[in-house]
Amino acid sequence: MSADPRGIGMTSQRARDRLVDQIRQMGIGSEQVLNLIRTTPRHLFVDEALASRAYENNALPIGFGQTISQPYIVAAMTQALLCGDRLEKVLEIGAGCGYQSVILSKVAKTVYSVERIGALASKLRVRLHELRVNNVRVRHGDGAQGWAKHAPFDAILVAAAAIDIPAALTEQLAVGGSLVIPVGRRGSQELMLVTKTFNGLEEEVLESVSFVPMVDGIG
Ligand code: SAH
């Protein structure tokens, strides 16, 4: 991990600006979200050997068969959850390397991040400390159960594809809150936006996506 958040060469500001241009062209209109992509040092979330590819608009391996999500998808999911106001509590399932967690930390008062692979959860705690991000709480656990102790959440973001939307997550969503989650099997997943209203849940399909699967239990 290169320690310099500013980056040089392929991790420079120019490389990040190019990435932001691409994401804008793909339809992300929120300046707030584009600015978060521009200012978050993605090269610090991948192994040093991959740092030169950190500002390509691709998923990259982070070990344990998992990937850091594609920047465009991180932007699309974050944009879907932002409704103007600053969010109080956000639940993130599948924290992985923590890139999305850090982006959420800039738009929420507190982020509660659950990761089922213990080694990734431990690595993330260290990384957050190094980056001086202190409003993200990390739990090693099965995200399908949510994090009941801190519910209800204003927004929930799931970064692993579920076959069905876990009931615990919609239960832990506040009225007026939104859940963004990839649903389906490998090869036929859709990113869904679920909104909780006084009358129940409203579902909207945002786009086709490709995420690693949500796995039961802890690893
Ligand atoms: N946003 C992360 C995405 C990582 S990939 C990043 O950009 O790094 C998806 C992550 O979801 C993996 O780290 C995987 O271990 C985790 N995951 C899969 N099933 C899970 C579950 N049931 N509970 C919590 N995390 C889960």
Side-chain angles (χ1 to χ4, degrees):
M1 186 166 89
S2 151
D4 187 351
R6 285 165 307 173
I8 49 161
M10 294 304 283
T11 63
S12 68
Q13 197 55 55
R14 256 183 61 205
R16 299 179 202 191
D17 289 344
R18 250 193 322 266
L19 172 64
V20 169
D21 288 344
Q22 278 177 40
I23 292 176
R24 193 195 298 276
Q25 272 164 27
M26 290 172 80
I28 302 300
S30 162
E31 287 304 325
Q32 186 185 6
V33 171
L34 292 169
N35 215 26
L36 288 170
I37 299 289
R38 184 180 291 115
T39 53
T40 305
R42 190 171 185 256
H43 65 284
L44 300 187
F45 293 82
V46 295
D47 280 349
E48 212 164 336
L50 292 171
S52 65
R53 299 181 53 200
Y55 298 98
E56 292 172 11
N57 191 20
N58 291 319
L60 292 170
I62 55 170
F64 310 94
Q66 307 304 319
T67 53
I68 178 172
S69 303
Q70 183 196 20
Y72 163 73
I73 283 293
V74 170
M77 291 175 96
T78 307
Q79 180 172 268
L81 292 180
L82 281 176
C83 48
D85 296 340
R86 192 174 159 83
L87 301 162
E88 283 284 314
K89 292 200 262 181
V90 175
L91 175 66
E92 182 195 28
I93 307 301
C97 69
Y99 175 66
Q100 173 83 71
S101 326
V102 168
I103 291 205
L104 290 172
S105 78
K106 308 284 194 250
V107 298
K109 184 155 180 266
T110 312
V111 180
Y112 297 88
S113 295
V114 185
E115 171 54 54
R116 70 173 291 280
I117 297 179
L120 285 175
S122 309
K123 216 168 152 182
L124 175 55
R125 288 194 187 99
V126 173
R127 181 170 283 141
L128 291 169
H129 184 73
E130 282 170 359
L131 293 171
R132 296 191 181 83
V133 173
N134 48 30
N135 61 336
V136 177
R137 295 188 49 186
V138 178
R139 178 175 170 207
H140 174 215
D142 179 2
Q145 311 300 320
W147 196 338
K149 193 173 156 208
H150 300 289
F153 299 99
D154 304 309
I156 302 178
L157 186 154
V158 184
I163 300 302
D164 297 302
I165 299 175
L169 299 185
T170 51
E171 278 159 21
Q172 292 174 26
L173 194 59
V175 172
S178 305
L179 159 70
V180 65
I181 179 169
V183 181
R185 295 179 192 281
R186 211 181 275 276
S188 64
Q189 298 169 5
E190 284 175 328
L191 189 61
M192 311 267 308
L193 178 65
V194 181
T195 311
K196 194 172 201 171
T197 71
F198 283 109
N199 301 320
L201 300 173
E202 284 172 7
E203 294 184 1
E204 187 189 334
V205 175
L206 299 179
E207 59 187 292
S208 295
V209 286
S210 174
F211 277 81
V212 295
M214 194 161 179
V215 179
D216 285 343
I218 56 171

